[in-house]
């Protein structure tokens, strides 16, 4: 997450900049390279590329820990004969459970990373300032803003990712117990395919949930009043499906390898831990 934080920040800016106010609206970011250049000109300079990374790193361990544990838990207990269906349901439930645990950290990360910083405009000074101001304005509800949209996005995302990976793995590696290099290459392929499928299908909902998290935050317009419908209707009026996919290319470059590595790491750890049980 730390290594890809600059790309993640550019993605969030590209995805949500049309909700921005002030200088960010007047001088929009065009692509990844232009975004990096513009962010380096901010008062924080090079360090600004990692703005919001602290809350993201704090979110990662409980998110993935809860997600994989819940998936294993539900997958072993659901009475569903068809494997792909059971994986799909278990993945969706795991995603929602992990989200409820860490959504406030994602809200803070989004508000810090998506906002461009200018010396003559108000902005959050850091993690604690963002938490304090968000709490002051909305309490617990403020930290969980956009939670319903996030559940609508994360449930199919994790369901598709787990189902695609486990399904492809079963078809590419039927009954295989060896750990040769060709086996791991097939696992990588399964992870890449699951990442592309989940990211592409669910990205419009990711855009909607980010918009709702940023609605009315420092540096952003107050436009949707927490309504998923109003957000979708406005985005569609700005150019059909395309506004829902702003920043999608950068997300594929960053997230697809990350998903593959995550699943591979999970399999490797389970394989090693299985030797001691």
């Amino acid at each position: 997450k730390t290594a890809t934080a600059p790309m993640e920040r550019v993605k969030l800016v590209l995805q949500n900049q049309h909700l921005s106010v002030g200088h960010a609206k007047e001088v929009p970011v065009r692509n990844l390279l232009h975004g990096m250049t513009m962010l380096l000109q901010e008062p924080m300079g090079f360090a600004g590329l990692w703005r919001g990374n602290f809350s993201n790193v704090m979110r990662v361990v409980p998110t993935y820990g809860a997600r994989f544990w819940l998936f294993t838990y539900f997958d072993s207990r659901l009475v569903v004969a068809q494997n792909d269906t059971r994986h799909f349901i278990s993945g969706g439930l795991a995603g929602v459970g992990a989200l409820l645990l860490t959504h406030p950290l994602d809200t803070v990360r989004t508000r810090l990373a998506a906002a461009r910083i200018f010396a003559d405009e108000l902005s959050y000074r850091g993690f604690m300032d963002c938490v304090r101001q968000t709490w002051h304005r909305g309490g617990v509800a403020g930290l969980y803003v956009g939670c319903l949209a996030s559940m609508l996005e994360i449930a199919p995302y994790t369901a598709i990712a787990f189902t695609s990976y486990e399904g492809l793995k079963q078809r590419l590696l039927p009954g295989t117990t060896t750990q040769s290099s060709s086996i791991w290459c097939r696992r990588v392929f399964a992870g890449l395919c699951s990442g592309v499928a989940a990211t592409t299908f669910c990205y419009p909902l990711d855009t909607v949930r980010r918009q709702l998290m940023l609605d009315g935050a420092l540096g952003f317009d107050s436009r949707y009043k927490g309504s998923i419908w109003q957000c979708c209707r406005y985005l569609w009026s700005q150019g059909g499906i395309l506004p829902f996919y702003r920043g999608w290319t950068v997300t594929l470059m960053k997230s697809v390898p990350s998903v593959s590595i995550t699943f591979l790491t999970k399999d490797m750890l389970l394989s090693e831990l299985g030797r001691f049980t």
Side-chain angles (χ1 to χ4, degrees):
K1 290 296 181 180
T2 299
T4 59
M7 292 180 67
E8 175 68 12
R9 188 167 180 221
V10 174
K11 170 257 182 178
L12 286 170
V13 171
L14 283 167
Q15 184 183 40
N16 302 288
Q17 62 184 344
H18 61 282
L19 189 62
S20 300
V21 296
H23 297 318
K25 184 177 182 180
E26 297 167 3
V27 189
V29 168
R30 296 191 299 270
N31 50 50
L32 176 60
L33 182 59
H34 183 246
M36 289 283 190
T37 303
M38 297 298 288
L39 293 178
L40 285 171
Q41 296 175 20
E42 292 182 350
M44 293 180 66
F46 185 71
L49 295 176
W50 280 266
R51 182 174 166 82
N53 184 56
F54 175 71
S55 54
N56 199 28
V57 170
M58 288 179 62
R59 183 183 66 90
V60 167
V61 174
T63 294
Y64 284 102
R67 191 177 293 175
F68 284 122
W69 182 81
L70 288 170
F71 174 79
T72 303
Y73 176 84
F74 288 122
D75 197 54
S76 63
R77 283 164 174 76
L78 287 175
V79 185
V80 180
Q82 218 284 329
N83 285 339
D84 288 343
T85 303
R86 190 177 66 254
H87 293 330
F88 189 87
I89 297 171
S90 300
L93 292 172
V96 171
L99 168 75
L100 292 173
L101 178 67
T102 60
H103 186 79
L105 288 170
D106 199 19
T107 299
V108 173
R109 184 279 296 255
T110 299
R111 292 186 169 190
L112 288 172
R116 292 172 59 192
I117 310 303
F118 299 92
D120 58 344
E121 293 182 354
L122 286 175
S123 61
Y124 297 113
R125 295 191 299 273
F127 175 79
M128 288 308 301
D129 182 51
C130 185
V131 172
R132 185 167 49 249
Q133 291 202 45
T134 303
W135 178 270
H136 179 73
R137 294 183 62 181
V140 174
L143 291 170
Y144 275 90
V145 65
C147 187
L148 177 58
S150 295
M151 285 192 285
L152 293 174
E153 184 265 342
I154 203 64
Y157 179 90
T158 51
I160 292 170
F162 275 106
T163 304
S164 301
Y165 180 72
E166 296 296 336
L168 281 171
K169 193 171 67 172
Q170 288 174 5
R171 289 162 177 79
L172 292 171
L173 312 169
T176 301
T177 58
T178 60
Q179 302 296 322
S180 66
S181 58
S182 64
I183 298 301
W184 285 108
C185 286
R186 294 178 192 180
R187 290 179 189 267
V188 170
F189 177 75
L192 290 173
C193 289
S194 67
V196 170
T199 299
T200 302
F201 183 81
C202 298
Y203 195 80
L205 283 169
D206 182 67
T207 298
V208 171
R209 78 188 190 97
R210 300 292 180 192
Q211 290 275 293
L212 293 175
M213 287 179 184
L214 296 168
D215 192 35
L218 282 183
F220 295 92
D221 192 13
S222 181
R223 185 177 294 164
Y224 308 125
K225 300 179 181 178
S227 170
I228 296 174
W229 170 246
Q230 284 191 34
C231 182
C232 291
R233 187 171 60 180
Y234 177 82
L235 289 172
W236 186 266
S237 71
Q238 298 302 298
I241 195 65
L242 292 179
F244 290 89
Y245 277 93
R246 290 190 179 113
W248 171 72
T249 305
V250 180
T251 300
L252 283 183
M253 293 169 61
K254 176 191 69 70
S255 296
V256 171
S258 177
V259 171
S260 182
I261 292 169
T262 301
F263 278 123
L264 284 173
T265 303
K266 185 263 295 185
D267 282 352
M268 191 178 299
L269 288 174
L270 288 177
S271 176
E272 291 300 315
L273 290 172
R275 295 166 56 186
F276 300 99
T277 59

